[in-house]
């Protein structure tokens, strides 16, 4: 089987493979095996977090892989309670230790935290980048107002944000937030890009997939890829799903297909809404 690679998305100095592997809910050997298999078939972007308790497992897969470290784009995230001055830097150091790496390619604030001043968090994030622990910095689950504020603060420290990682799939419209990210050159990284696997039996998606001879998940991931400035990180521990999810760069959706998929959005389409979430847009 020939190896496929995702194209790279430029994002304020970062070069992010547009299709990466999510690792939420995978731990220990399952995680190491899944990440190793993904690297083997061409994934070059891996998404982890302190919250997932799998950084060590991800690090083991990277260490055991024949893929050079320089080809891998590794993202991790800081817990929302650890984004204060000093704590954030300590968290980054802990992540590197568990991962067995000298730097991560992208360090994110996993969730905003209204109890910690944003200026303090962003300054700490910029400090981690200046110290070389992270090549790029960004945020996740930031609203439009928070993105605007974070961009301004980072700018005062001479830095730019590479990404805002947020929930996005055809059932959940994020157009205004994506437009804000684009305006600032920030890549929008879609999490739950296949709606946690729940949208693959949608009749509209199934219909488009049947016409194109693709799987529903491939159609949905292709929909993400055809939106400027958007990347996606589907999680899969199933080898056939991993391979299919990456094999989406040799076909295209028509404008009508794109509109039909976007038309599936519903007002209550959000899947991830923990008690500590910000007041959403
Ligand atoms: N920043 C944040 O706050 C945040 C929040 C949530 C998630 N994330 C990140 O985003 C990643 C993706 O989100 P997610 O894991 O919640 O949801 P997701 O990627 O939308 O869905 C994963 C589910 O879909 C299934 N699946 C994957 N590919 C498939 C295919 N081709 N056909 C059928 N089913 C398929 C998977 O099962 P199999 O494993 O069997 O393939 C799994 O059950 C996470 O792993 C994590 O890295 C970030």
């Amino acid at each position: 089987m020939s190896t496929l690679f995702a194209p790279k998305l430029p994002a304020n100095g970062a070069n992010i493979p547009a299709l990466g592997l999510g690792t939420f809910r995978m731990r220990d050997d399952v995680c190491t095996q899944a990440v190793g298999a993904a690297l083997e078939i061409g994934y070059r972007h891996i998404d982890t977090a302190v919250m997932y308790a799998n950084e060590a497992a991800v690090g083991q897969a990277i260490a055991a892989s024949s893929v050079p470290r320089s080809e891998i784009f590794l993202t991790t995230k800081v817990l929302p309670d650890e984004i204060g001055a000093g704590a954030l830097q300590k968290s980054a150091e802990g992540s590197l230790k568990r991962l067995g790496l000298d730097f991560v390619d992208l360090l994110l604030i996993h969730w905003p935290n209204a109890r910690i001043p944003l200026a303090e968090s962003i300054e700490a994030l910029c400090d981690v980048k200046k110290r070389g622990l992270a090549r790029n910095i960004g945020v996740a689950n930031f609203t439009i107002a928070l993105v605007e504020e974070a961009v301004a603060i980072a700018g005062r420290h001479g830095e730019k944000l590479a990404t805002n990682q947020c929930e996005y799939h055809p059932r959940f419209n994020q157009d205004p937030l994506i437009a804000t990210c684009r305006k600032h050159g920030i890549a929008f990284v879609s999490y739950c890009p296949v709606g946690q696997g729940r949208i693959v039996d949608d009749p509209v998606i199934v219909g488009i997939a049947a016409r194109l001879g693709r799987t529903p998940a491939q159609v949905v991931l292709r929909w993400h890829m055809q939106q400027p400035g958007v990347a996606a990180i589907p999680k899969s521990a199933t080898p056939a799903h991993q391979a299919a999810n990456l094999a989406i760069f040799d076909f295209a959706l028509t404008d009508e297909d794109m509109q039909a998929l976007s038309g599936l959005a519903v007002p209550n389409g959000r899947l991830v809404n923990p008690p500590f979430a910000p007041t959403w847009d």
Side-chain angles (χ1 to χ4, degrees):
M1 192 176 65
S2 64
T3 308
L4 296 156
F5 297 105
K8 290 186 179 171
L9 197 62
N12 285 332
N15 251 331
I16 308 173
L19 200 285
L21 182 78
T23 66
F24 186 33
R25 295 192 190 88
M26 291 198 289
R27 286 195 186 166
D28 305 318
D29 288 353
V30 171
C31 181
T32 302
Q33 213 158 27
V35 172
L39 291 171
E40 183 82 15
I41 63 168
Y43 281 78
R44 293 294 179 264
H45 171 181
I46 309 293
D47 182 82
T48 180
V50 173
M51 203 180 274
Y52 307 163
N54 64 12
E55 288 177 308
V58 169
Q60 278 171 34
I62 292 173
S65 170
S66 59
V67 177
R69 167 69 184 98
S70 57
E71 287 184 19
I72 301 170
F73 191 94
L74 191 280
T75 302
T76 195
K77 318 185 193 79
V78 183
L79 288 169
D81 283 342
E82 294 180 353
I83 59 173
L88 187 146
Q89 290 92 329
K90 224 168 155 184
S91 173
E93 287 163 4
S95 289
L96 291 179
K97 207 164 170 197
R98 285 185 293 277
L99 286 159
L101 300 177
D102 300 327
F103 64 90
V104 293
D105 297 279
L106 180 62
L107 185 72
L108 304 182
I109 290 175
H110 203 149
W111 288 87
N113 183 342
R115 287 175 286 110
I116 298 173
L118 187 59
E120 189 181 318
S121 300
I122 298 295
E123 184 177 352
L125 200 57
C126 293
D127 181 45
V128 162
K129 185 176 173 212
K130 289 191 172 100
R131 286 172 49 194
L133 307 184
R135 292 266 161 100
N136 301 280
I137 52 175
V139 295
N141 297 299
F142 270 40
T143 60
I144 291 172
L146 285 169
V147 168
E148 294 289 5
E149 210 181 325
V151 164
I153 298 164
R156 290 200 284 278
H157 294 282
E159 298 290 350
K160 288 184 170 182
L161 302 177
T163 66
N164 185 19
Q165 184 185 116
C166 295
E167 179 175 342
Y168 189 39
H169 45 76
R171 291 241 172 95
F172 184 50
N173 183 299
Q174 285 278 37
D175 288 350
L177 183 57
I178 292 172
T180 301
C181 291
R182 273 190 203 128
K183 184 180 77 179
H184 292 294
I186 295 171
F188 183 97
V189 178
S190 310
Y191 77 63
C192 301
V194 293
Q196 296 175 340
R198 300 183 208 179
I199 56 174
V200 294
D201 54 1
D202 182 286
V204 171
I205 301 172
V206 169
I208 295 171
R211 197 189 80 237
L212 295 172
R214 299 284 169 162
T215 70
Q218 285 181 313
V219 165
V220 171
L221 291 169
R222 184 68 209 176
W223 171 82
H224 288 274
M225 297 298 103
Q226 284 185 216
Q227 299 179 55
V230 174
I233 46 168
K235 171 264 168 186
S236 181
T238 305
H241 290 168
Q242 278 192 1
N245 293 350
L246 190 59
I248 55 169
F249 298 101
D250 60 348
F251 77 105
L253 299 172
T254 63
D255 290 347
E256 290 73 29
D257 293 335
M258 291 295 289
Q259 280 159 22
L261 290 161
S262 299
L264 297 175
V266 290
N268 60 349
R270 190 187 290 280
L271 298 169
V272 178
N273 197 10
F276 50 84
T279 305
W280 300 111
D281 293 310

